[in-house]
Amino acid sequence: MPKPPAAPADLSADVIVVGGGMAGATLALALRSGGLQPILVERAPMSDQWEETFDGRASAIAFSAFRQWRTLGLGARLEPHAQRIEQILVTDGRAPGAAAPAAPSPFALRFDSAEIAERVEGEPLGYMLENRRIRVALALALAETDIRVLAPASLAALDVEAGHVTARLADGRAVTAPLAVAADGRGSQARKMAGIGVVGWPYRQSGVVATVDLERPHHGVAHEHFLPSGPFAILPLTDDRASLVWTEGRDQAKALMAASPEAFQAYLDRRFGDFLGRATAQTGRFNYPLALELAERMTAPRLALLGDAAHAVHPIAGQGLNLGLKDIAALAQVLVDARRLGEDIGSELVLERYARWRRFDNVMLAAATDGFTRLFSNDNPVLRLARGVGMGVVDAIGPARRFFMQEAGGATGELPRLLRGEAL
Ligand SMILES: Cc1cc2nc3c(=O)[nH]c(=O)nc-3n(C[C@H](O)[C@H](O)[C@H](O)COP(=O)(O)OP(=O)(O)OC[C@H]3O[C@@H](n4cnc5c(N)ncnc54)[C@H](O)[C@@H]3O)c2cc1C
């Protein structure tokens, strides 16, 4: 009689990372660089993430977050695709189409990398990178390590027992470790399993993302144009292309997605204007409904949350992934240092250090982006006056502007070693 197939052997690790998106994959590499052995559990095949149709976004990455990737050995793969952001110009529009960047009101706010050059050694304000490039670089880097990647494999349950946590996977396998990390994004299953609630609400907006070819060079300038329906961002990419984040009400976003290529190009011509020559849309449009989702806590017994699983924010300030990358640098440092001191890396004491380090920054940024979104996404004359005054004040005061730039670059507060470009 044929023997039944053997049950898959159970697995163990130092850390179970649930979710192999940009945050989970970066964390796994960071932990391994510090001598810990993670296991990565990802619901979808990793190769799905490299498809052109998977994620059409590009991310503005703060220079300190980019330094972390360099330190983890991703520099050579990312740098050819990284566009330096030298300047950010913010304008306040009145009605959609009425004040497109073709005929901008005087720039209400101008951030210039030259102003912070002395403090951060000629670094730009940040880099623009297509998410697909980041995902490929992370996957290739993972493949060069001995990190075990279980994909496709879905988390089905988390059992916390004395001294360890067991992740039970939908395919019947089980992984045991002193600590699990929820890096499974918005609507995180791991977070729900731990009974951690969220504060948040959907915005009545979606971000339509498309890439355009520009007729004229963009010189590394990013434009953020605030319109009542939401911000319209033109973000510079290599080879004189730009990534557009076109925020609209949900129905209008659906209409943009459904438009024929010709109709979409016609809307684009009207919205974009011709200040960079003609902007020609490449094929592929992506629609992201926007919401705020802030976890009530960043830890639970033997579980730490990070990335969008801990805080999904509006992309108005391009900070979502940057926050996740800061979480990673802090958590990896706390865990590696704890292991070197012989501590239990899943203990409450150790997790509390991580939560203390990151909680304030995450809550403040989530609140700031939410406030910003409300302040800018409407045409109320009083709010328009208030934001005009606010932007004017920030623009007029050099130190305030420099503070915002350092903040956007991720260089304020107590920086973990990886964000300073130092190994763990
Ligand atoms: C339009 C737009 C523009 C943006 N621009 C910027 C920007 O310029 N700069 C910036 O910093 N941020 C930006 N962001 C935010 C940024 O994209 C997100 O913060 C980031 O992608 C979150 O990554 P993550 O790895 O935490 O989550 P995700 O990308 O959601 O990854 C979670 C992973 O977990 C896996 N998973 C889920 N459930 C399970 C399970 N049960 N078991 C196993 N695996 C599971 C999923 O398959 C997925 O791969 C933008 C967002 C939007 C919508």
Side-chain angles (χ1 to χ4, degrees), residues 10-288:
D10 282 356
L11 302 156
S12 64
D14 290 322
V15 182
I16 306 161
V17 181
V18 182
M22 293 186 282
T26 304
L27 176 71
L29 291 169
L31 293 173
R32 194 70 197 104
S33 77
L36 293 176
Q37 189 65 67
I39 275 190
L40 193 59
V41 179
E42 165 55 44
R43 185 169 54 187
M46 290 300 275
S47 55
D48 278 10
Q49 298 191 33
W50 319 338
E51 300 294 333
E52 298 215 4
T53 47
F54 186 82
D55 183 353
R57 290 170 296 184
S59 299
I61 298 297
F63 58 78
S64 60
F66 194 75
R67 241 175 353 209
Q68 168 168 239
W69 278 336
R70 273 197 192 123
T71 313
L72 296 176
L74 296 162
R77 289 205 173 100
L78 290 179
E79 267 151 26
H81 309 290
Q83 169 63 49
R84 288 170 65 97
I85 306 172
E86 303 293 359
Q87 210 179 47
I88 303 174
L89 300 179
V90 181
T91 48
D92 190 7
R94 283 194 163 68
S105 49
F107 294 120
L109 249 179
R110 180 190 297 261
F111 297 115
D112 201 325
S113 61
E115 281 193 68
I116 52 164
E118 277 168 44
R119 289 161 192 242
V120 289
E121 302 154 14
E123 293 271 16
L125 290 171
Y127 295 90
M128 280 306 305
L129 275 155
E130 287 150 282
N131 287 6
R132 198 167 61 86
R133 302 286 186 189
I134 302 172
R135 292 176 189 278
V136 169
L138 287 167
L140 292 174
L142 279 172
E144 285 165 1
T145 66
D146 59 357
I147 297 170
R148 185 101 190 245
V149 179
L150 308 181
S154 228
L155 177 74
L158 271 181
D159 296 336
V160 178
E161 287 147 295
H164 63 271
V165 54
T166 300
R168 303 204 179 277
L169 309 185
D171 60 14
R173 282 180 291 184
V175 191
T176 300
L179 177 69
V181 175
D184 50 347
R186 271 166 206 255
S188 162
Q189 288 299 313
R191 182 183 71 206
K192 286 181 193 154
M193 287 169 194
I196 300 178
V198 289
V199 181
W201 33 81
Y203 295 109
R204 286 191 295 263
Q205 298 177 336
S206 291
V208 174
V209 172
T211 304
V212 295
D213 292 309
L214 301 172
E215 219 169 41
R216 292 200 210 123
H218 51 56
H219 300 297
V221 180
H223 296 261
E224 182 116 22
H225 193 57
F226 289 118
L227 298 169
S229 55
F232 179 69
I234 302 169
L235 306 164
L237 296 177
T238 51
D239 303 321
D240 283 317
R241 296 168 305 140
S243 173
L244 305 183
V245 183
W246 187 335
T247 315
E248 280 289 354
R250 295 213 168 173
D251 289 344
Q252 291 91 325
K254 277 191 199 139
L256 282 175
M257 290 300 292
S260 67
E262 298 74 25
F264 184 74
Q265 183 64 50
Y267 287 129
L268 180 63
D269 291 343
R270 187 158 164 262
R271 175 58 59 92
F272 200 105
D274 61 0
F275 75 114
L276 288 173
R278 190 152 201 244
T280 310
Q282 296 183 351
T283 48
R285 266 171 252 158
F286 300 80
N287 187 10
Y288 299 91

